[in-house]
Amino acid sequence: MLLEKVINKIVIQSEYKDFVDKYIDQILTEFKGKIHSIYMCGSIPKGTAKPFKSDADFTIVCVNPKDIDYERLSNIKDRLLKEYPVVTKIDTIICSIDDVLSKPNEWGFWVKIICVCIYGHDVGEKVPPLIISPEFILDLNTETKEEVDRIHTLLSNASDHTMKTRYIKGYSKRLIRALYSLVLEDTGVWQDDIIKMKNAILNYCEIDSALVDYLYACYLVSNNVLVEEFLGIADEVYSYFENALNTMAASRTSFG
C-alpha cells in the first residue's frame, strides 16, 4: 500500500498570504544562493489555520544545512512574529537534498508526504513511492528516541511557565504521532489531523486508552498540566511504543 501526500493543493488563506510571501523573500535574501527549496506543512497551506491560534511550519532544503545560520534565521522569525501577530509561532526545519534522497523513509517521507513545496523545485518528486510496511515504520522512527529524549530533558529543566506549556503540547503531539505510526498498516494513510490520529490509535493499538486520552487532553490544554505527572505518563506511553517497535523489528528478523 502506497502512502499518499497529506496536502494535495495549497490553499493559503488571505490572512496569511503576505506573511508566507515575506518569509520566503527574507529567507532568500538572507541566504542568497544557498536555498534549494522551501516547504510548508500544517494548517496554513491546508487553508484551515485559525488566526491568533495557528502556528507556521516551514522546512528549508539546501545543499549544506551548515550554510543556514540559526541566529540569522531566528532574527527573521522574531521580526515576522512582531509584524504578523496572526501567527502564534514559527518553526523551521532544515535538511539537505542528500538527506531527502538518501533517507526516503525519514526525510524523504517528511518532504514528499507531509510537506508541500512553496518555493523552488520539489525534491520530494524524486523520492520513490513509499510503501507502508514494517520496514518503513521502523525507518520512520529511527530518530524518535533521540527526539523524545531531547524534549523530555527540555521539559524537565524548564522553569518558565510558557515554555513548559509549549513543551508539553509538543511532547504530547510527538508521542501521538509515534503511536499513530504503529497503525499505518491498518489505516493505510498518514493523518495530520490529531483527533483522527487519536481515534485510530484507540481503534488499532492495544495501549491503555486512558493514556492516549490524557496525551490528547494535554495537547489541547497544556497550561495547567503538572510536569511531574505528565512526564510519568509520557514515559509509560513511550515504553509501550518502544516495546511495540522492538516486537515489530524481531518479527521482521524472524521472517526475513
Side-chain angles (χ1 to χ4, degrees), residues 157-174:
N157 297 329
S159 56
D160 178 77
H161 178 72
T162 300
M163 294 308 296
K164 286 180 181 178
T165 299
R166 182 176 296 177
Y167 290 144
I168 288 172
K169 183 180 179 71
Y171 201 170
S172 301
K173 185 176 183 179
R174 187 65 189 88

Side-chain angles (χ1 to χ4, degrees), residues 132-147:
I132 300 173
S133 65
E135 290 80 6
F136 170 77
I137 295 168
L138 290 166
D139 285 348
L140 183 62
N141 286 292
T142 299
E143 297 180 2
T144 298
K145 185 179 190 311
E146 181 181 335
E147 294 171 9

Side-chain angles (χ1 to χ4, degrees), residues 3-255:
L3 271 174
E4 299 292 335
K5 201 168 185 66
V6 170
I7 305 171
N8 291 310
K9 182 181 179 181
I10 302 174
V11 187
I12 299 175
Q13 297 136 281
S14 58
E15 298 96 326
Y16 297 95
K17 284 183 178 178
D18 286 346
F19 159 73
V20 172
D21 288 343
K22 188 160 288 189
Y23 177 92
I24 294 171
D25 289 342
Q26 294 198 10
I27 290 294
L28 295 179
T29 299
E30 188 71 31
F31 304 105
K32 192 170 184 179
K34 297 177 180 178
I35 305 297
H36 174 272
S37 44
I38 301 175
Y39 305 76
M40 289 195 80
C41 64
S43 60
I44 291 179
K46 286 176 68 178
T48 59
K50 297 178 180 178
F52 306 101
K53 291 185 178 180
S54 296
D55 54 12
D57 297 294
F58 295 94
T59 295
I60 294 173
V61 174
C62 53
V63 173
N64 184 4
K66 292 181 180 179
D67 288 338
I68 311 302
D69 181 79
Y70 276 91
E71 184 174 349
R72 290 157 64 190
L73 193 62
S74 181
N75 290 338
I76 292 173
K77 177 195 73 174
D78 292 343
R79 290 197 301 267
L80 290 176
L81 284 175
K82 288 180 180 178
E83 189 173 351
Y84 297 94
V86 68
V87 179
T88 59
K89 182 164 66 81
I90 300 172
D91 287 328
T92 301
I93 295 172
I94 302 169
C95 66
S96 70
I97 299 171
D98 184 61
D99 286 333
V100 177
L101 299 179
S102 66
K103 301 176 181 178
N105 290 349
E106 301 166 59
W107 283 110
F109 162 78
W110 179 256
V111 170
K112 183 181 183 70
I113 303 299
I114 304 298
C115 297
V116 287
C117 186
I118 58 172
Y119 167 80
H121 298 290
D122 186 358
V123 71
E125 294 179 353
K126 296 183 179 180
V127 176
L130 299 177
I131 301 171
I132 300 173
S133 65
E135 290 80 6
F136 170 77
I137 295 168
L138 290 166
D139 285 348
L140 183 62
N141 286 292
T142 299
E143 297 180 2
T144 298
K145 185 179 190 311
E146 181 181 335
E147 294 171 9
V148 166
D149 287 346
R150 179 183 63 83
I151 197 167
H152 190 290
T153 300
L154 288 170
L155 179 55
S156 299
N157 297 329
S159 56
D160 178 77
H161 178 72
T162 300
M163 294 308 296
K164 286 180 181 178
T165 299
R166 182 176 296 177
Y167 290 144
I168 288 172
K169 183 180 179 71
Y171 201 170
S172 301
K173 185 176 183 179
R174 187 65 189 88
L175 288 172
I176 289 172
R177 287 181 73 237
L179 290 174
Y180 182 77
S181 72
L182 297 176
V183 304
L184 275 176
E185 289 187 290
D186 298 293
T187 66
V189 63
W190 183 268
Q191 290 286 358
D192 66 346
D193 184 310
I194 197 78
I195 193 166
K196 289 182 180 179
M197 282 188 176
K198 178 187 79 97
N199 290 337
I201 294 165
L202 294 177
N203 285 335
Y204 298 111
C205 268
E206 296 180 0
I207 191 171
D208 184 347
S209 61
L211 298 177
V212 181
D213 287 334
Y214 177 85
L215 285 181
Y216 180 67
C218 289
Y219 169 78
L220 292 179
V221 182
S222 52
N223 57 334
N224 292 317
V225 176
L226 297 175
V227 171
E228 187 174 343
E229 178 186 67
F230 175 84
L231 289 174
I233 297 294
D235 288 345
E236 190 173 350
V237 170
Y238 185 77
S239 178
Y240 170 89
F241 167 77
E242 190 171 46
N243 288 336
L245 272 192
N246 290 338
T247 299
M248 189 181 295
S251 176
R252 183 183 66 167
T253 301
S254 63
F255 288 104

